[in-house]
Amino acid sequence: MFQCKDLYTLSSLSKLKLIAGNNGLHKGIRWVYKAESLSLSQWVHGGELLIISRPVSSEPNFNLSVLLKEAIHLNMSGALLLIGPNYIEKISKSVLSLCNENDFPLFAIPWNLPLVDFFEEIGHAISNNNYYQSTRNDVIFNIIFENHISASALKLQAANSGYSFEGSHHFFLLHFILPESGQTAGMEQTISNNLYEYLHQAFSEQDASFLSSTYSNHIIGIFPDKDFSEITEAFSKTMDYVCQTHPQLTCNIGIGLAVSDIEKLKQSYEQAAECINYCNKLNLNHQSLCYNQLGLYQLFSDLNQTPLYESFMENQLGVLIRYDADNHTQLVETLSLYLQNNCNILHTADAAYTHRNTIKYRITRIEELLRVDLQDASVRLNLHLALYLHQFILTT
């Protein structure tokens, strides 16, 4: 997507100056809106660059701070002020602070800028950018949906977007969830665009190769294995950005394993998706997780084997699960903590915020109900696997 920083590449804006909101230069510009009144809400959808010219600035009730607050609330990309006599001549410190605090780029240009030239040039720039994005989308979605396109055709498509399929490559998947209170019209798309543009900026700063696209509340992409450390550093920066600017989001990144055969690259995408599923099941947040970090989850992620898993879990834990349900106890949870803490009573008591004597009683009761000896290593292994299945695979 065409970004605020790309305004500097337009010849019609050769005298452009950024006066506030430097940290928002990665924001994408979907289109341009020249304000015709002091109310914006019924005319914009988010992602527009606001143009503030004479008809608005000369309104009797014009207040730049109020107008910019509305633009920020509506998730516009930034604002361009026409400066000069009978236009806007002074900008208060409070306006500059408002834009800096909200990472809202505020630009200034002399009042005699021929707007028709600017509109024509930025229209071409946005359209061309959308064309190249469409080409990148074709590569990514042709792989994911296994469209009947040859490896050589995919390589040619990628090359047209400046990406080479030489060597091995990973898929990644960034997934975010808005809280119900934040699900306003257009908010999901605006956040997706902001994260997408920031991620691109982070990739560029690491001088890393990549292809990426967005759909719904996902950002999906491909990168070469040789750039793995640089890309993971970009992911780390992106998570820091999410924490600072969108603290209400649940956001995680999954990374599939490297694949050298382009016709099998979909496997890496599926592994990245499994990482997201894992984070969701464990209620993890702000994690960048590689598939090889999932451990046993990799073995149990094939839900075609669910009947087998259910049978194993029932044999190992069924009595305990039903006992908890009938008696409102927490023996399954206590067993899980006990095994996680290497069968250490004191550490389990600390983790459960419970007196050690209570934990001792519960462990004895668990052994009685299951008719097992928790000092037996094979018993512990089976129970650990059953608990894993119960928590991560067979519950949603």
Side-chain angles (χ1 to χ4, degrees):
M1 180 176 282
F2 189 85
Q3 296 173 281
C4 286
K5 64 182 178 61
D6 296 325
L7 290 171
Y8 288 105
T9 67
L10 304 181
S11 59
S12 58
L13 296 183
S14 59
K15 296 182 181 180
L16 183 73
K17 291 183 179 180
L18 177 69
I19 55 179
N22 180 69
N23 290 334
L25 287 175
H26 64 278
K27 290 183 176 179
I29 298 176
R30 188 177 58 81
W31 203 243
V32 177
Y33 174 68
K34 179 175 173 286
E36 301 293 342
S37 70
L38 296 179
S39 178
L40 305 174
S41 59
Q42 67 183 105
W43 309 110
V44 302
H45 302 286
E48 297 91 350
L49 176 70
L50 174 65
I51 308 296
I52 303 177
S53 59
R54 185 172 181 177
V56 169
S57 61
S58 60
E59 288 276 347
N61 298 325
F62 175 72
N63 184 307
L64 180 58
S65 180
V66 171
L67 189 63
L68 292 179
K69 283 180 181 178
E70 184 180 9
I72 292 168
H73 175 72
L74 295 171
N75 297 297
M76 299 186 77
S77 300
L80 178 61
L81 308 179
L82 272 65
I83 303 294
N86 300 320
Y87 286 77
I88 297 175
E89 297 189 64
K90 294 182 179 180
I91 301 170
S92 68
K93 290 183 178 179
S94 61
V95 166
L96 300 180
S97 296
L98 171 69
C99 294
N100 285 327
E101 290 168 3
N102 290 278
D103 295 336
F104 185 79
L106 183 63
F107 299 95
I109 196 76
W111 64 273
N112 55 358
L113 164 73
L115 283 179
V116 64
D117 293 343
F118 164 62
F119 288 142
E120 181 178 4
E121 190 174 18
I122 195 171
H124 285 306
I126 291 173
S127 296
N128 287 337
N129 191 277
N130 289 341
Y131 168 77
Y132 288 114
Q133 179 59 50
S134 177
T135 303
R136 293 192 288 271
N137 290 354
D138 288 344
V139 176
I140 291 170
F141 292 115
N142 281 335
I143 293 172
I144 292 174
F145 297 115
E146 296 183 314
N147 293 332
H148 299 294
I149 296 179
S150 66
S152 58
L154 283 170
K155 289 180 179 179
L156 181 60
Q157 283 183 339
N160 288 336
S161 296
Y163 188 82
S164 171
F165 268 118
E166 296 299 319
S168 299
H169 304 264
H170 301 258
F171 255 102
F172 74 86
L173 184 62
L174 182 152
H175 175 258
F176 68 86
I177 302 173
L178 270 170
E180 291 186 7
S181 59
Q183 293 181 5
T184 57
M187 179 64 74
E188 182 180 276
Q189 185 60 54
T190 299
I191 290 176
S192 180
N193 289 341
N194 287 345
L195 293 183
Y196 179 79
E197 300 304 338
Y198 186 87
L199 193 59
H200 267 235
Q201 176 178 294
F203 284 160
S204 298
E205 290 173 354
Q206 296 297 321
D207 196 26
S209 300
F210 62 95
L211 284 178
S212 62
S213 184
T214 65
Y215 69 94
S216 183
N217 57 339
H218 300 78
I219 299 173
I220 185 172
I222 308 168
F223 64 90
D225 186 51
K226 65 182 179 63
D227 289 344
F228 186 86
S229 59
E230 288 81 4
I231 292 291
T232 52
E233 177 64 24
F235 288 152
S236 178
K237 291 182 178 179
T238 301
M239 282 304 174
D240 289 341
Y241 170 77
V242 171
C243 291
Q244 293 170 8
T245 59
H246 302 291
Q248 79 279 20
L249 289 184
T250 298
C251 183
N252 295 292
I253 298 174
I255 307 168
L257 300 179
V259 176
S260 57
D261 185 345
I262 190 171
E263 294 179 338
K264 296 181 179 179
L265 193 52
K266 183 184 177 182
Q267 295 174 5
S268 185
Y269 165 75
E270 292 171 344
Q271 292 164 352
E274 285 296 343
C275 292
I276 298 300
N277 289 338
Y278 181 87
C279 290
N280 290 341
K281 285 178 180 292
L282 271 67
N283 296 317
L284 300 179
N285 196 11
H286 303 144
Q287 300 291 311
S288 295
L289 196 63
C290 298
Y291 186 70
N292 59 7
Q293 295 175 285
L294 299 190
L296 287 172
Y297 185 86
Q298 296 177 42
L299 302 179
F300 300 135
S301 58
D302 181 3
L303 294 183
N304 291 326
Q305 297 297 321
T306 295
L308 176 63
Y309 300 153
E310 288 177 338
S311 176
F312 177 80
M313 188 189 70
E314 168 62 26
N315 290 335
Q316 296 293 323
L317 284 178
V319 171
L320 212 59
I321 293 171
R322 286 188 290 277
Y323 184 89
D324 275 349
D326 293 341
N327 298 279
H328 307 290
T329 52
Q330 299 174 318
L331 296 186
V332 172
E333 180 182 349
T334 300
L335 175 61
S336 179
L337 288 173
Y338 184 65
L339 294 176
Q340 289 173 32
N341 285 278
N342 298 314
C343 301
N344 184 296
I345 293 290
L346 290 178
H347 292 170
T348 304
D350 289 341
Y353 302 101
T354 304
H355 194 276
R356 63 180 181 274
N357 289 339
T358 302
I359 297 298
K360 283 182 180 180
Y361 169 77
R362 289 181 184 175
I363 296 302
T364 299
R365 188 68 181 127
I366 288 168
E367 290 180 320
E368 291 173 351
L369 289 168
L370 296 181
R371 298 180 182 180
V372 297
D373 178 2
L374 290 176
Q375 298 307 307
D376 186 323
S378 63
V379 168
R380 293 198 302 272
L381 175 60
N382 287 336
L383 289 172
H384 221 147
L385 292 176
L387 285 163
Y388 192 94
L389 287 169
H390 177 60
Q391 183 176 4
F392 304 141
I393 305 300
L394 302 177
T395 58
T396 57

